[in-house]
Amino acid sequence: MLCETFEYRHQARTPATYLALGAAIASAYLVHNLDLPQLHQLLALLFVGVVLWRIAINPIRGFRLSDGGLEFFEGHYRRKVPLAEVASVTVYQPVGDTTRCVLNLRSGDRLALPGAERFGTRRLVAEFAGLGLPVLI
C-alpha cells in the first residue's frame, strides 16, 4: 500500500532565527560605534554568538511516518523504526494537556513520539491506522 508521508519537523533554522541574527549583528554594531561600556559590547557579542550557535547546530525535533517506517529526530539523535517492529501505538490527551503518542515496540520498549503535541488525537489515530497499526486510545 502506497500512501503519502506524514511528517512534522521543527528546527532552529527559521526566518525568525535569521531575523534575530540580523538584530544581533545590528545591536553589536551600534553598541560598538556608540562607544558604550565594554559590558554592553560583551553582551551584544554574546547575543550574536548564541544566535550563530543555534543556527550552526540546528537542533531538529519531529518525526516522519511512511510505508518504510517511522523516523525520529530529537536534536542530533535520529532513529528509524520499521513498521514491523511496532506492536501498537498509544494515543491519548490528558485533561487540559497536549496530545501524547507512545509507540509500543515488539521488543517491549516504549518510545514517545516527539512533536505529537502539534496534532489532535484523531489525526494521529487516522495516520497510524492508515498504515495498519493497532491504535490504543
Side-chain angles (χ1 to χ4, degrees), residues 75-121:
H76 291 291
Y77 173 77
R78 295 181 188 274
R79 180 172 179 179
K80 189 164 188 170
V81 178
L83 292 180
E85 289 184 20
V86 180
S88 65
V89 180
T90 305
V91 180
Y92 62 99
Q93 185 173 7
V95 176
D97 206 355
T98 58
T99 304
R100 307 255 172 91
C101 183
V102 177
L103 298 177
N104 306 308
L105 303 181
R106 297 195 189 284
S107 65
D109 291 340
R110 296 179 59 165
L111 299 173
L113 187 67
E117 65 275 1
R118 300 284 297 170
F119 302 98
T121 55

Side-chain angles (χ1 to χ4, degrees), residues 3-45:
C3 70
E4 72 180 61
T5 301
F6 177 63
E7 178 176 6
Y8 170 73
R9 178 188 301 235
H10 178 74
Q11 62 185 17
R13 289 183 190 156
T14 63
T17 309
Y18 287 107
L19 185 62
L21 178 61
I25 291 172
S27 68
Y29 176 78
L30 284 174
V31 166
H32 178 71
N33 281 345
L34 295 175
D35 288 330
L36 293 178
Q38 286 191 347
L39 176 62
H40 292 122
Q41 293 179 14
L42 179 65
L43 290 174
L45 288 177

